[in-house]
Amino acid sequence: MKALVKAKDEAGLWLQDEPVPSIGPDEVLIRVGKTGICGTDVHIYGWDDWARKTIPVPMVVGHEYAGEIVEVGAAVRGLAIGTRVSGEGHVIGMQSRAARGGRFHLDPKTRGIGVNIPGAFAEFVKIPAFNVVPLPDDVDDEMGAILDPLGNAVHTALSFDLVGEDVLITGAGPIGIMSAAVARHVGARHVVITDVNPTRLALAAQVTDVVPVDISKEDLVAVMDRLGLKEGFDVGLEMSGAPAAFEEMVDRLVMGGKIAMLGIPTKPYAVDWTKVVFKMLTIKGIYGREMFETWHKMLAMLQSGLDVRKVITHRLPVQDFARGFDLMTKGECGKIVLDWTA
Ligand code: NAD
Ligand code: ZN
């Protein structure tokens, strides 16, 4: 099969021939239709310190995908060949207290498909049957291919009650933009999204009804005055990993405000904890999805009017993957979907 492989201990990915994975009794084999390029894949492509420490070489990468079941293991029940599916990309252990308590997303033995174990940038991927998420007919393969990051957005946005709240989102990458759409969908009042990249802010405004703010040029306090936010934003969703964005967020939140943090900083940074303490802010770290609860909520929201399709700005045949990675590296895009059937 064709697959995108981290074949060498250097920058790049290689489209090459790999054996089709053979499945165990509890696994399924999926023929991949479409895949999304994630920021994580860009780190792997560029081969930064994190990637070098984390990714085994050689390995097929990629974790955002949709396709069709073509084979089921002997012990698998309730999943049929031909079913259109995506899947939870975190493969968990089942022995920890968290997993046995049903809090699967907190299992400490979590391994990532396409990060720690072979991934989905291939014509076929195998995953545990437990991880499979069947897709409704009205969620097509390209939407199916971006459910993993939509799940990050949904997990973050639904961490706190947003009904009637004023929300500040820092970072208009694909996940920040999708979280803005979710915030609108569930009933936030004002949703302001900041970035330093005008292309991304313009995309945010196309995808959903948000107030885009170029934080390198505009003053957030002036925006708040315009919107009539006297005391600040109620909830912050940190989606950039940028220290300056977090600092701004702490300053612009109300007393008792809440922050859900998905953005991953490239290195440790100093925080003015005095402000956090005296404002009595709640800060919650967010990792992945709350597994199948998040998948349920996002599929249900897509079926009840949540529309994030415009966040997909490029659709490329897999042969053009290098162009996709180049656009991602430059930030000149939203989501990029690669077609494996072309
Ligand atoms: P992205 O890199 O595409 O978007 C981040 C955006 O933040 C960029 O558009 C960038 O221009 C912007 N930015 C930079 N400095 C800023 C500043 N000072 N203020 C406001 N915006 C600024 O990332 P993405 O794919 O949308 O993902 C969002 C973040 O979430 C990333 O940090 C990613 O690593 C992280 N992530 C975390 C998890 C998790 O499980 N915790 C999962 C997926 C992604
Ligand atoms: Zn991803």
Side-chain angles (χ1 to χ4, degrees):
M1 64 172 188
K2 272 192 308 241
L4 272 177
V5 181
K6 187 59 152 175
K8 299 180 211 166
D9 182 8
E10 60 188 70
L13 284 175
W14 291 265
L15 187 61
Q16 60 188 49
D17 201 39
E18 289 287 312
V20 174
S22 54
I23 59 169
D26 296 316
E27 294 176 323
V28 302
L29 188 68
I30 296 166
R31 180 189 293 122
V32 175
K34 300 206 163 133
T35 59
I37 303 180
C38 179
T40 302
D41 302 320
V42 178
H43 289 290
I44 297 171
Y45 189 80
W47 212 224
D48 62 13
D49 287 347
W50 168 83
R52 230 174 273 152
K53 271 187 258 163
T54 312
I55 313 298
V57 178
M59 189 182 73
V60 177
V61 300
H63 59 272
E64 303 181 356
Y65 61 95
E68 181 188 332
I69 297 180
V70 289
E71 194 185 343
V72 295
V76 175
R77 298 287 173 269
L79 289 173
I81 288 171
T83 305
R84 293 180 51 253
V85 298
S86 182
E88 170 54 48
H90 287 174
V91 175
I92 59 170
M94 281 293 178
Q95 300 310 317
S96 67
R97 176 180 171 191
R100 290 176 71 83
R103 299 182 311 278
F104 300 132
H105 62 293
L106 298 179
D107 183 77
K109 290 232 163 73
T110 298
R111 293 168 303 154
I113 289 171
V115 176
N116 313 106
I117 54 177
F121 283 172
E123 286 177 285
F124 297 92
V125 60
K126 70 167 181 179
I127 65 169
F130 179 78
N131 285 52
V132 170
V133 179
L135 295 177
D137 291 343
D138 47 5
V139 174
D140 60 19
D141 275 6
E142 74 170 20
M143 280 308 301
I146 66 163
L147 291 176
D148 173 296
L150 176 58
N152 298 137
V154 167
H155 183 185
T156 315
L158 299 189
S159 283
F160 298 112
D161 179 11
L162 299 187
V163 179
E165 304 289 9
D166 297 322
V167 180
L168 172 63
I169 300 171
T170 46
I175 302 180
I177 293 174
M178 289 193 283
S179 73
V182 173
R184 298 295 312 166
H185 185 76
V186 302
R189 181 170 60 176
H190 296 298
V191 180
V192 172
I193 191 162
T194 65
D195 205 296
V196 291
N197 176 337
T199 309
R200 287 206 149 168
L201 289 164
L203 180 64
Q206 278 168 31
V207 173
T208 186
D209 174 25
V210 279
V211 180
V213 175
D214 185 338
I215 204 70
S216 66
K217 298 196 182 83
E218 290 172 74
D219 175 13
L220 202 48
V221 175
V223 175
M224 289 162 65
D225 285 347
R226 207 169 75 218
L227 296 174
L229 305 191
K230 293 195 180 66
E231 295 175 21
F233 293 90
D234 304 297
V235 177
L237 310 179
E238 206 308 288
M239 298 286 194
S240 73
F246 183 74
E247 193 182 340
E248 176 96 42
M249 186 171 270
V250 167
D251 283 340
R252 302 296 157 238
L253 250 59
V254 294
M255 292 280 295
K258 303 176 183 94
I259 300 179
M261 283 189 84
L262 185 90
I264 303 170
T266 50
K267 51 180 191 295
Y269 63 84
V271 169
D272 187 345
W273 290 109
T274 306
K275 287 183 186 166
V276 173
V277 170
F278 284 120
K279 285 183 96 165
M280 294 204 297
L281 301 180
T282 299
I283 303 175
K284 181 182 177 190
I286 309 286
Y287 175 48
R289 293 146 298 279
E290 252 175 1
M291 297 242 158
F292 307 105
E293 182 62 9
T294 305
W295 284 87
H296 175 86
K297 294 260 194 202
M298 74 175 137
L299 288 171
M301 283 192 283
L302 287 171
Q303 292 182 303
S304 63
L306 174 68
D307 184 1
V308 293
R309 192 180 299 275
K310 284 188 189 149
V311 83
I312 302 174
T313 53
H314 297 76
R315 296 160 175 88
L316 303 172
V318 66
Q319 290 75 9
D320 292 351
F321 73 92
R323 181 164 167 246
F325 278 92
D326 186 42
L327 287 162
M328 287 283 287
T329 306
K330 291 180 180 144
E332 289 170 356
C333 58
K335 284 305 289 184
I336 298 182
V337 171
L338 299 177
D339 187 350
W340 287 81
T341 60

